[in-house]
Amino acid sequence: MFTSLARGFVPLALAAVSLLAPAAGQAHASEVVLLPDALGALTVEDEVRDGYSPGAFPHWSSGLDPDDGCDTRGEVLVTEAVEAPAVGSGCAMSGGAWVSYYDGQKVTDPAALAIDFMVPLAEAWDSGARTWSAARREAYANDQGAEASLVAVTTRTHRAKADQDPTNWLPAAQGQYCRYLSEWIATKLRWGLSVDKAELETLKTFADGPCEETVIVYTPAAP
């Protein structure tokens, strides 16, 4: 019965999200699906690493507000703070606090945080971004149009994750697995990135088990 109720939630969620339909000039409205159903929307392809370098994804840009003194990294830190920092000249921050959901750690020093690409740059390259224009790769690497795209986490977990997909790495906080996988899938769907066979099998394991009722909301990126 719970599954039926959860699946019944999706049309209601779609109706709610439709209130956020794009204005003129924007390309797409948000999509809402249960995690198992989202897997069917993913393209399965072999990954190709040839030619990758981090420089193919220019970051950090001047951010959403070129006049606030913060680049994309700084703006993400301000947005994700659980206690708002004071922001001074050159985007210097003091007095704020953040919670790194990958490991559940509370951090008060922004220098101890890294901005993680939910789908790492190398993984994005392997999964289709190698065919993109330089401008689209820059848009991807500075994406503040979806909360899941860029995440403030401890530098320790950022280094541990590196460029691995969920087959080889999941957050230390096991209670966050479903959130993490939903945000991984949402990012891949948002940017039209593929998954490889091993990655899909890992996602299916959670879709058939603990994350069966997890709802994914994503908005396809403008072309």
Side-chain angles (χ1 to χ4, degrees):
M1 179 176 178
F2 182 77
T3 300
S4 298
L5 289 172
R7 291 187 180 275
F9 166 78
V10 175
L12 295 175
L14 278 167
V17 172
S18 70
L19 297 176
L20 303 177
Q26 294 181 319
H28 300 284
S30 294
E31 301 286 343
V32 181
V33 290
L34 286 171
L35 191 151
D37 298 327
L39 299 186
L42 293 166
T43 300
V44 182
E45 292 182 353
D46 292 336
E47 294 184 354
V48 178
R49 180 63 59 94
D50 295 348
Y52 169 72
S53 76
F57 296 81
H59 61 285
W60 304 104
S61 73
S62 58
L64 298 179
D65 182 359
D67 299 323
D68 65 4
C70 295
D71 59 12
T72 298
R73 179 186 188 280
E75 289 183 353
V76 172
L77 285 174
V78 171
T79 298
E80 296 212 342
V82 295
E83 298 174 19
V87 182
S89 177
C91 203
M93 297 182 197
S94 60
W98 295 260
V99 174
S100 168
Y101 93 78
Y102 289 2
D103 54 5
Q105 298 298 304
K106 186 173 183 179
V107 179
T108 56
D109 179 4
L113 293 165
I115 303 304
D116 186 55
F117 300 98
M118 174 52 61
V119 175
L121 301 182
E123 171 71 17
W125 177 273
D126 299 352
S127 305
R130 64 188 176 277
T131 67
W132 295 351
S133 67
R136 186 165 180 80
R137 287 195 290 268
E138 181 173 6
Y140 176 85
N142 295 276
D143 182 17
Q144 293 191 70
E147 292 183 7
S149 295
L150 302 172
V151 191
V153 299
T154 56
T155 54
R156 178 179 62 255
T157 56
H158 178 68
R159 286 194 297 266
K161 175 180 173 180
D163 60 3
Q164 300 176 93
D165 73 25
T167 302
N168 298 306
W169 188 90
L170 287 168
Q174 295 184 16
Q176 299 294 343
Y177 281 2
C178 292
R179 174 183 174 182
Y180 181 78
L181 294 172
S182 71
E183 294 186 350
W184 179 276
I185 295 167
T187 302
K188 287 228 161 175
L189 290 173
R190 172 170 169 77
W191 288 92
L193 296 170
S194 63
V195 296
D196 63 30
K197 292 179 181 178
E199 183 182 349
L200 181 63
E201 288 306 309
T202 298
L203 297 174
K204 283 182 177 178
T205 298
F206 287 90
D208 293 338
C211 303
E212 181 181 8
E213 309 302 338
T214 300
V215 175
I216 293 177
V217 181
Y218 71 96
T219 305

